[in-house]
Amino acid sequence: MDRVVADGGAEGGVDAEAALAVVPAGALAPGGVLLPMAGAWERPADGPAAFTPAFPPVAGSTYVLLWRGDGTGAWVPLARATAPGTPAPRTTRVLAVEPDVEEVPENLLRFSLLFSAPVDEGGAGAHVDLRTADGAPLPGALLPMPPELWDRPRRRLTVLLDPGRVKRGLQPHVQAGPPLPRGTDVTLSVGEDVRDAAGARLAAGAARTYRVGPPVRARVDPARWALSWPATPGDELAVTFGRPLERTLVQRCLRAVDADGRAVPGAAVASAAAWRFTPTPGAPAVRCLHVHPDLEDLAGNSVRHVFDRDLAEPADDPVATAGVVLHPDGRVVVRPPAEPSAGPAPDDGRARVLPPG
Amino acid sequence: MSDLTAENGSPTPQSAGPLLFHPDVAADGGAVLFLADVAATRVLAVELPPEAAAPAQAEVRVEQLGAKLASLLGVERDDVLLRGLAVHPASHAAYLSVARGRGPASAPALVRAGTDGELSVVAVDALPTTTFDLDDAPAADDTRQDFWLDGTDATSQVREIHGIELQVAQVPLRRSTITGLAWVDGALLVAGSSNEEFSSRLRRVPYPFDGSAQGTSVEIFHVDHGAYETHAPIRSLIGFDGGSSVLATYTCTPVVHFPVADLTGDGLVRGRTVAELGPMNQPFSLVSYERDGEEFLLVSGTRHPLLKIPASSVAGQPPLTQPLSQDATALGVPREELDHPGVTWMASLERDSVLVVQEADGDLHLRTLAAAQL
């Protein structure tokens, strides 16, 4: 239904906009206000008037055509119509609840939800819930405000725990404590009433339970990782982190680099715990591993900064760096800041696929 | 998702986000409105048709704004979400950025509320528009395909590259959500948060847009009570003190102050905390106004009440260094709680009046609060 056509009772010379209006049915219900829908009326000299709404009608919603004679006085309902459209099938699922770990630190900064299809923006946050394992709510643990933090395809939603309560230096932390109770289990759930981009609810909700462990307050230090370098070119490079890291940043921030400083083409598998890289057959040999300093762990500590740095603690001092380079001989090179990168630009998140050979 | 470009070649917004007027008005009453398009990660500058100057002491008042927007936009009450508010510098009409509808019927709407209380939809795609893409937005004509080779991603597909079949998935496309716009020191400041790393993305963009953005290397921090220093994504911000400084709210609770000069350089910028809200109350909107010749700052939160802070004490406030306490009143500058419950969005109307969106009686209302009431 793109247009409403009103035929009959031609009021010669009466302006269609003054005499006719279309409204959604809710405007006539208690709590509603009657305001003509935005749109354009056409009123040819003979023939039916036609109304094209400024915005698409909502499938399944009812609209009412109103008339008020000479353009003043009360509106009178003339007809109702329901916009056609079958409800979209419920096919969208929750593919993953992240982080993909069993235990999270008490100062966990965020959860993420990965959906199988694009999701409608603006309403999902209301259906995400954090509770203790007993089902008791944890009020104020999740940051409630808009805007929602989505990736570009709107399939991955990041939900923050209230940073005001995570950060040690703020009133909310002092008054309400950290969002997650240490030593207990918490369950993050997403309800099936989340709408996908087609307007359908999810096929099912999802939930994941985590144990809450001690807080993590230290920089991400690549020097502490366990690396297994390929024995022969073409073998896998395996990296195991000292503690769980933020998976999407692992994908973005680690790069196997060849002798010319270019990214080695291959297949990478990233998780919170590890990164495994297999070069494509015939690719140049892996010479070193580049780590971009934006890499964060689950508590928001990065290579450069502790999330909430204790100014009295020298170990918390930030490290100014453009990145860390790990070599097979065990050398760890911390590149100075703003050094022109000989390799791929690390910050734009684009891993170039280079032709082999 | 609709095409970015309408038939006449003018870019159309894909989503509703914050609004801001360019402070200058043409002689005929024409003004430029900045719209943040969050889904497209871009800012649009729309040249509005001229509007007549407002009569003195003009007010904007729309009762039952939520119900009226629903009827005007052809949806149910629940399908109308306010995403931005700005006041036309000549006519003092209120412009509202509205997210309308869900799923396939969803669209951004720009609605004008005149000083006569009338609501009308502004057809943005019919107006001259220029755009600025934030630097992490892929170019529309970029035909390169950026891949991460990861056979385990549910969306990965087999592709043939130079004779070799590889299982590829796309690099997760992170997105900066634009949370605030401000006009400071002759340029547009765009604040936002990434969905991946926890840091500020603050950009200083000259207008007319020339494709450049400055100050992107600024990292925003704050020091909490002299003890801890943290990254702090800026949520909203306004110019203050005649444009020499900026007041901002963070994603966590503080309201902070920066000299403008700090935001135009490189490196770290540490905002000076001037106020902190309590738990479960995030700062929502900031405006300044004048009463009896004195400037005040008004802060609304996601919970009540409205806070009023004398500007003179903001300028003179030393950084909050006293130890934290359980007593919520010992939180920096002297402040007063005002009895105007349910206020969220705010915008300056005149120097001595503030336009607010107030929740009451189950609906939203657009109201003007005079300085004498604040």
Side-chain angles (χ1 to χ4, degrees), chain B residues 83-102:
Chain B
R83 291 278 186 243
L85 177 70
V87 172
H88 193 286
S91 67
H92 291 179
Y95 279 73
L96 302 147
S97 175
V98 181
R100 175 263 185 202
R102 304 274 172 96

PDB file of all heavy atoms in Angstrom, chain B residues 83-102:
ATOM      1  N   ARG B  83      16.223  11.361  18.719  1.00  0.00           N
ATOM      2  CA  ARG B  83      17.663  11.135  18.642  1.00  0.00           C
ATOM      3  C   ARG B  83      18.458  12.424  18.599  1.00  0.00           C
ATOM      4  O   ARG B  83      19.692  12.407  18.598  1.00  0.00           O
ATOM      5  CB  ARG B  83      17.986  10.346  17.363  1.00  0.00           C
ATOM      6  CG  ARG B  83      17.503   8.922  17.388  1.00  0.00           C
ATOM      7  CD  ARG B  83      18.473   8.060  18.134  1.00  0.00           C
ATOM      8  NE  ARG B  83      18.116   6.667  18.063  1.00  0.00           N
ATOM      9  CZ  ARG B  83      17.783   5.933  19.114  1.00  0.00           C
ATOM     10  NH1 ARG B  83      17.753   6.455  20.301  1.00  0.00           N
ATOM     11  NH2 ARG B  83      17.499   4.648  18.959  1.00  0.00           N
ATOM     12  N   GLY B  84      17.774  13.568  18.519  1.00  0.00           N
ATOM     13  CA  GLY B  84      18.514  14.826  18.478  1.00  0.00           C
ATOM     14  C   GLY B  84      17.572  16.008  18.540  1.00  0.00           C
ATOM     15  O   GLY B  84      16.395  15.900  18.208  1.00  0.00           O
ATOM     16  N   LEU B  85      18.115  17.155  18.992  1.00  0.00           N
ATOM     17  CA  LEU B  85      17.306  18.366  19.144  1.00  0.00           C
ATOM     18  C   LEU B  85      18.184  19.572  18.869  1.00  0.00           C
ATOM     19  O   LEU B  85      19.318  19.635  19.365  1.00  0.00           O
ATOM     20  CB  LEU B  85      16.761  18.438  20.586  1.00  0.00           C
ATOM     21  CG  LEU B  85      15.948  19.673  20.962  1.00  0.00           C
ATOM     22  CD1 LEU B  85      14.603  19.661  20.248  1.00  0.00           C
ATOM     23  CD2 LEU B  85      15.733  19.713  22.468  1.00  0.00           C
ATOM     24  N   ALA B  86      17.695  20.529  18.083  1.00  0.00           N
ATOM     25  CA  ALA B  86      18.463  21.752  17.838  1.00  0.00           C
ATOM     26  C   ALA B  86      17.489  22.885  17.556  1.00  0.00           C
ATOM     27  O   ALA B  86      16.360  22.651  17.139  1.00  0.00           O
ATOM     28  CB  ALA B  86      19.415  21.568  16.652  1.00  0.00           C
ATOM     29  N   VAL B  87      17.938  24.111  17.781  1.00  0.00           N
ATOM     30  CA  VAL B  87      17.075  25.287  17.627  1.00  0.00           C
ATOM     31  C   VAL B  87      17.578  26.143  16.468  1.00  0.00           C
ATOM     32  O   VAL B  87      18.767  26.468  16.407  1.00  0.00           O
ATOM     33  CB  VAL B  87      17.064  26.113  18.944  1.00  0.00           C
ATOM     34  CG1 VAL B  87      16.340  27.434  18.737  1.00  0.00           C
ATOM     35  CG2 VAL B  87      16.407  25.314  20.054  1.00  0.00           C
ATOM     36  N   HIS B  88      16.691  26.522  15.548  1.00  0.00           N
ATOM     37  CA  HIS B  88      17.051  27.354  14.396  1.00  0.00           C
ATOM     38  C   HIS B  88      17.494  28.730  14.893  1.00  0.00           C
ATOM     39  O   HIS B  88      16.769  29.372  15.663  1.00  0.00           O
ATOM     40  CB  HIS B  88      15.838  27.494  13.470  1.00  0.00           C
ATOM     41  CG  HIS B  88      16.170  28.047  12.119  1.00  0.00           C
ATOM     42  ND1 HIS B  88      16.478  29.376  11.926  1.00  0.00           N
ATOM     43  CD2 HIS B  88      16.250  27.454  10.896  1.00  0.00           C
ATOM     44  CE1 HIS B  88      16.737  29.567  10.643  1.00  0.00           C
ATOM     45  NE2 HIS B  88      16.598  28.430   9.998  1.00  0.00           N
ATOM     46  N   PRO B  89      18.666  29.175  14.469  1.00  0.00           N
ATOM     47  CA  PRO B  89      19.191  30.424  15.032  1.00  0.00           C
ATOM     48  C   PRO B  89      18.390  31.668  14.658  1.00  0.00           C
ATOM     49  O   PRO B  89      18.466  32.670  15.370  1.00  0.00           O
ATOM     50  CB  PRO B  89      20.619  30.504  14.462  1.00  0.00           C
ATOM     51  CG  PRO B  89      20.652  29.562  13.325  1.00  0.00           C
ATOM     52  CD  PRO B  89      19.611  28.522  13.557  1.00  0.00           C
ATOM     53  N   ALA B  90      17.614  31.625  13.586  1.00  0.00           N
ATOM     54  CA  ALA B  90      16.828  32.808  13.208  1.00  0.00           C
ATOM     55  C   ALA B  90      15.404  32.711  13.742  1.00  0.00           C
ATOM     56  O   ALA B  90      14.939  33.565  14.488  1.00  0.00           O
ATOM     57  CB  ALA B  90      16.818  32.964  11.688  1.00  0.00           C
ATOM     58  N   SER B  91      14.700  31.631  13.389  1.00  0.00           N
ATOM     59  CA  SER B  91      13.283  31.541  13.717  1.00  0.00           C
ATOM     60  C   SER B  91      13.021  30.931  15.082  1.00  0.00           C
ATOM     61  O   SER B  91      11.896  30.957  15.569  1.00  0.00           O
ATOM     62  CB  SER B  91      12.577  30.694  12.666  1.00  0.00           C
ATOM     63  OG  SER B  91      13.055  29.357  12.777  1.00  0.00           O
ATOM     64  N   HIS B  92      14.047  30.325  15.681  1.00  0.00           N
ATOM     65  CA  HIS B  92      13.893  29.621  16.959  1.00  0.00           C
ATOM     66  C   HIS B  92      12.912  28.464  16.893  1.00  0.00           C
ATOM     67  O   HIS B  92      12.416  28.008  17.926  1.00  0.00           O
ATOM     68  CB  HIS B  92      13.502  30.595  18.081  1.00  0.00           C
ATOM     69  CG  HIS B  92      14.622  31.528  18.426  1.00  0.00           C
ATOM     70  ND1 HIS B  92      14.522  32.502  19.382  1.00  0.00           N
ATOM     71  CD2 HIS B  92      15.871  31.642  17.914  1.00  0.00           C
ATOM     72  CE1 HIS B  92      15.672  33.180  19.447  1.00  0.00           C
ATOM     73  NE2 HIS B  92      16.495  32.683  18.562  1.00  0.00           N
ATOM     74  N   ALA B  93      12.661  27.967  15.701  1.00  0.00           N
ATOM     75  CA  ALA B  93      11.898  26.728  15.592  1.00  0.00           C
ATOM     76  C   ALA B  93      12.770  25.593  16.115  1.00  0.00           C
ATOM     77  O   ALA B  93      13.995  25.623  16.008  1.00  0.00           O
ATOM     78  CB  ALA B  93      11.525  26.473  14.130  1.00  0.00           C
ATOM     79  N   ALA B  94      12.120  24.565  16.674  1.00  0.00           N
ATOM     80  CA  ALA B  94      12.852  23.391  17.157  1.00  0.00           C
ATOM     81  C   ALA B  94      12.914  22.362  16.043  1.00  0.00           C
ATOM     82  O   ALA B  94      11.906  22.090  15.384  1.00  0.00           O
ATOM     83  CB  ALA B  94      12.148  22.797  18.376  1.00  0.00           C
ATOM     84  N   TYR B  95      14.088  21.794  15.834  1.00  0.00           N
ATOM     85  CA  TYR B  95      14.245  20.708  14.871  1.00  0.00           C
ATOM     86  C   TYR B  95      14.526  19.437  15.650  1.00  0.00           C
ATOM     87  O   TYR B  95      15.391  19.418  16.531  1.00  0.00           O
ATOM     88  CB  TYR B  95      15.388  21.026  13.883  1.00  0.00           C
ATOM     89  CG  TYR B  95      14.931  21.944  12.777  1.00  0.00           C
ATOM     90  CD1 TYR B  95      14.689  23.289  13.014  1.00  0.00           C
ATOM     91  CD2 TYR B  95      14.711  21.441  11.488  1.00  0.00           C
ATOM     92  CE1 TYR B  95      14.244  24.129  12.007  1.00  0.00           C
ATOM     93  CE2 TYR B  95      14.266  22.269  10.469  1.00  0.00           C
ATOM     94  CZ  TYR B  95      14.033  23.611  10.730  1.00  0.00           C
ATOM     95  OH  TYR B  95      13.589  24.431   9.723  1.00  0.00           O
ATOM     96  N   LEU B  96      13.777  18.376  15.321  1.00  0.00           N
ATOM     97  CA  LEU B  96      13.871  17.111  16.041  1.00  0.00           C
ATOM     98  C   LEU B  96      14.343  16.027  15.089  1.00  0.00           C
ATOM     99  O   LEU B  96      13.806  15.880  13.981  1.00  0.00           O
ATOM    100  CB  LEU B  96      12.492  16.717  16.584  1.00  0.00           C
ATOM    101  CG  LEU B  96      11.850  17.737  17.519  1.00  0.00           C
ATOM    102  CD1 LEU B  96      10.349  17.726  17.379  1.00  0.00           C
ATOM    103  CD2 LEU B  96      12.234  17.430  18.942  1.00  0.00           C
ATOM    104  N   SER B  97      15.312  15.258  15.529  1.00  0.00           N
ATOM    105  CA  SER B  97      15.783  14.104  14.769  1.00  0.00           C
ATOM    106  C   SER B  97      15.072  12.885  15.350  1.00  0.00           C
ATOM    107  O   SER B  97      15.180  12.612  16.542  1.00  0.00           O
ATOM    108  CB  SER B  97      17.302  13.995  14.943  1.00  0.00           C
ATOM    109  OG  SER B  97      17.794  12.839  14.332  1.00  0.00           O
ATOM    110  N   VAL B  98      14.310  12.187  14.520  1.00  0.00           N
ATOM    111  CA  VAL B  98      13.456  11.109  15.017  1.00  0.00           C
ATOM    112  C   VAL B  98      13.758   9.813  14.284  1.00  0.00           C
ATOM    113  O   VAL B  98      13.814   9.797  13.053  1.00  0.00           O
ATOM    114  CB  VAL B  98      11.965  11.478  14.818  1.00  0.00           C
ATOM    115  CG1 VAL B  98      11.064  10.372  15.352  1.00  0.00           C
ATOM    116  CG2 VAL B  98      11.633  12.805  15.483  1.00  0.00           C
ATOM    117  N   ALA B  99      13.945   8.738  15.010  1.00  0.00           N
ATOM    118  CA  ALA B  99      14.035   7.403  14.421  1.00  0.00           C
ATOM    119  C   ALA B  99      12.621   6.856  14.372  1.00  0.00           C
ATOM    120  O   ALA B  99      11.969   6.681  15.410  1.00  0.00           O
ATOM    121  CB  ALA B  99      14.944   6.506  15.265  1.00  0.00           C
ATOM    122  N   ARG B 100      12.128   6.621  13.161  1.00  0.00           N
ATOM    123  CA  ARG B 100      10.729   6.277  12.972  1.00  0.00           C
ATOM    124  C   ARG B 100      10.610   4.840  12.487  1.00  0.00           C
ATOM    125  O   ARG B 100      11.278   4.456  11.532  1.00  0.00           O
ATOM    126  CB  ARG B 100      10.146   7.247  11.949  1.00  0.00           C
ATOM    127  CG  ARG B 100       8.724   7.009  11.507  1.00  0.00           C
ATOM    128  CD  ARG B 100       8.639   6.255  10.215  1.00  0.00           C
ATOM    129  NE  ARG B 100       7.262   6.146   9.745  1.00  0.00           N
ATOM    130  CZ  ARG B 100       6.826   5.216   8.902  1.00  0.00           C
ATOM    131  NH1 ARG B 100       7.653   4.318   8.405  1.00  0.00           N
ATOM    132  NH2 ARG B 100       5.566   5.191   8.527  1.00  0.00           N
ATOM    133  N   GLY B 101       9.787   4.042  13.164  1.00  0.00           N
ATOM    134  CA  GLY B 101       9.471   2.718  12.671  1.00  0.00           C
ATOM    135  C   GLY B 101      10.555   1.693  12.959  1.00  0.00           C
ATOM    136  O   GLY B 101      11.642   1.997  13.415  1.00  0.00           O
ATOM    137  N   ARG B 102      10.225   0.452  12.656  1.00  0.00           N
ATOM    138  CA  ARG B 102      11.132  -0.674  12.880  1.00  0.00           C
ATOM    139  C   ARG B 102      11.283  -1.465  11.589  1.00  0.00           C
ATOM    140  O   ARG B 102      10.398  -1.456  10.738  1.00  0.00           O
ATOM    141  CB  ARG B 102      10.568  -1.613  13.954  1.00  0.00           C
ATOM    142  CG  ARG B 102      10.255  -0.958  15.261  1.00  0.00           C
ATOM    143  CD  ARG B 102      11.470  -0.892  16.158  1.00  0.00           C
ATOM    144  NE  ARG B 102      11.200  -0.096  17.348  1.00  0.00           N
ATOM    145  CZ  ARG B 102      10.839  -0.595  18.514  1.00  0.00           C
ATOM    146  NH1 ARG B 102      10.720  -1.901  18.650  1.00  0.00           N
ATOM    147  NH2 ARG B 102      10.617   0.192  19.537  1.00  0.00           N
TER     148      ARG B 102
END
